[in-house]
Short mmCIF file of all heavy atoms in Angstrom, two decimals:
data_model
loop_
_atom_site.label_atom_id
_atom_site.label_comp_id
_atom_site.label_asym_id
_atom_site.label_seq_id
_atom_site.Cartn_x
_atom_site.Cartn_y
_atom_site.Cartn_z
N ARG A 437 76.38 122.98 104.13
CA ARG A 437 75.35 124.05 104.58
C ARG A 437 74.93 124.92 103.46
O ARG A 437 73.77 125.39 103.33
CB ARG A 437 75.93 124.82 105.79
CG ARG A 437 77.10 125.62 105.43
CD ARG A 437 77.63 126.23 106.77
NE ARG A 437 76.64 126.94 107.53
CZ ARG A 437 76.57 127.09 108.87
NH1 ARG A 437 77.53 126.47 109.58
NH2 ARG A 437 75.65 127.76 109.42
N ASP A 438 75.80 125.19 102.46
CA ASP A 438 75.50 126.09 101.37
C ASP A 438 75.08 125.45 100.07
O ASP A 438 75.00 126.12 99.04
CB ASP A 438 76.72 127.06 101.15
CG ASP A 438 77.05 127.88 102.28
OD1 ASP A 438 76.11 128.43 102.99
OD2 ASP A 438 78.17 128.16 102.59
N LEU A 439 74.82 124.12 100.12
CA LEU A 439 74.60 123.45 98.93
C LEU A 439 73.04 123.24 98.77
O LEU A 439 72.33 122.93 99.74
CB LEU A 439 75.24 122.00 98.95
CG LEU A 439 76.72 122.01 99.11
CD1 LEU A 439 77.26 120.56 99.09
CD2 LEU A 439 77.37 122.80 97.95
N GLY A 440 72.50 123.49 97.56
CA GLY A 440 71.15 123.38 97.25
C GLY A 440 70.78 121.99 96.88
O GLY A 440 71.56 121.04 96.82
N GLU A 441 69.41 121.83 96.54
CA GLU A 441 68.94 120.49 96.29
C GLU A 441 69.51 119.89 94.99
O GLU A 441 69.90 118.66 94.96
CB GLU A 441 67.45 120.58 96.13
CG GLU A 441 66.68 120.76 97.36
CD GLU A 441 67.01 119.63 98.40
OE1 GLU A 441 66.95 118.45 97.99
OE2 GLU A 441 67.25 119.97 99.50
N ARG A 442 69.82 120.69 93.99
CA ARG A 442 70.47 120.14 92.82
C ARG A 442 71.89 119.62 93.08
O ARG A 442 72.21 118.45 92.64
CB ARG A 442 70.59 121.21 91.73
CG ARG A 442 71.10 120.70 90.40
CD ARG A 442 71.36 121.79 89.38
NE ARG A 442 72.46 122.60 89.80
CZ ARG A 442 73.77 122.25 89.59
NH1 ARG A 442 73.97 121.05 89.09
NH2 ARG A 442 74.69 123.03 90.04
N GLN A 443 72.62 120.34 93.91
CA GLN A 443 74.04 119.86 94.24
C GLN A 443 73.86 118.54 95.17
O GLN A 443 74.68 117.63 94.96
CB GLN A 443 74.76 120.95 94.89
CG GLN A 443 75.14 122.08 93.91
CD GLN A 443 75.80 123.29 94.72
OE1 GLN A 443 75.16 123.85 95.57
NE2 GLN A 443 77.08 123.60 94.37
N ARG A 444 72.97 118.60 96.06
CA ARG A 444 72.79 117.49 96.97
C ARG A 444 72.45 116.21 96.14
O ARG A 444 72.82 115.08 96.61
CB ARG A 444 71.83 117.80 98.07
CG ARG A 444 72.41 118.82 99.00
CD ARG A 444 71.40 119.19 100.17
NE ARG A 444 72.03 120.13 101.06
CZ ARG A 444 71.92 120.06 102.39
NH1 ARG A 444 71.32 119.10 103.00
NH2 ARG A 444 72.46 121.04 103.12
N SER A 445 71.72 116.36 95.08
CA SER A 445 71.30 115.24 94.35
C SER A 445 72.50 114.48 93.68
O SER A 445 72.36 113.30 93.25
CB SER A 445 70.34 115.60 93.20
OG SER A 445 70.96 116.45 92.19
N LEU A 446 73.68 115.16 93.62
CA LEU A 446 74.88 114.60 93.01
C LEU A 446 75.76 113.88 94.11
O LEU A 446 76.77 113.28 93.75
CB LEU A 446 75.73 115.69 92.40
CG LEU A 446 75.06 116.56 91.29
CD1 LEU A 446 75.99 117.69 90.94
CD2 LEU A 446 74.72 115.71 90.09
N MET A 447 75.36 113.91 95.34
CA MET A 447 76.23 113.54 96.49
C MET A 447 75.96 112.08 96.92
O MET A 447 74.89 111.47 96.55
CB MET A 447 76.12 114.52 97.53
CG MET A 447 76.52 115.93 97.24
SD MET A 447 76.28 117.11 98.62
CE MET A 447 77.55 116.48 99.74
N ASP A 448 76.86 111.57 97.74
CA ASP A 448 76.74 110.31 98.41
C ASP A 448 75.49 110.23 99.16
O ASP A 448 75.33 111.11 100.15
CB ASP A 448 77.98 110.08 99.27
CG ASP A 448 78.02 108.68 99.92
OD1 ASP A 448 76.95 108.10 100.08
OD2 ASP A 448 79.07 108.22 100.32
N PRO A 449 74.46 109.47 98.95
CA PRO A 449 73.18 109.34 99.71
C PRO A 449 73.35 109.20 101.17
O PRO A 449 72.66 109.77 101.98
CB PRO A 449 72.40 108.36 98.99
CG PRO A 449 73.00 108.17 97.62
CD PRO A 449 74.44 108.47 97.72
N ALA A 450 74.47 108.43 101.57
CA ALA A 450 74.60 108.16 103.01
C ALA A 450 75.10 109.49 103.67
O ALA A 450 74.73 109.67 104.83
CB ALA A 450 75.53 107.05 103.15
N LEU A 451 75.85 110.18 102.99
CA LEU A 451 76.35 111.55 103.54
C LEU A 451 75.15 112.42 103.76
O LEU A 451 75.00 113.10 104.82
CB LEU A 451 77.45 112.14 102.65
CG LEU A 451 77.81 113.48 102.95
CD1 LEU A 451 78.35 113.71 104.39
CD2 LEU A 451 78.89 114.04 101.99
#
Side-chain angles (χ1 to χ4, degrees):
R437 64 189 306 148
D438 296 323
L439 301 181
E441 287 304 314
R442 187 189 66 80
Q443 290 173 301
R444 292 182 179 222
S445 70
L446 303 173
M447 298 178 69
D448 183 339
L451 172 56

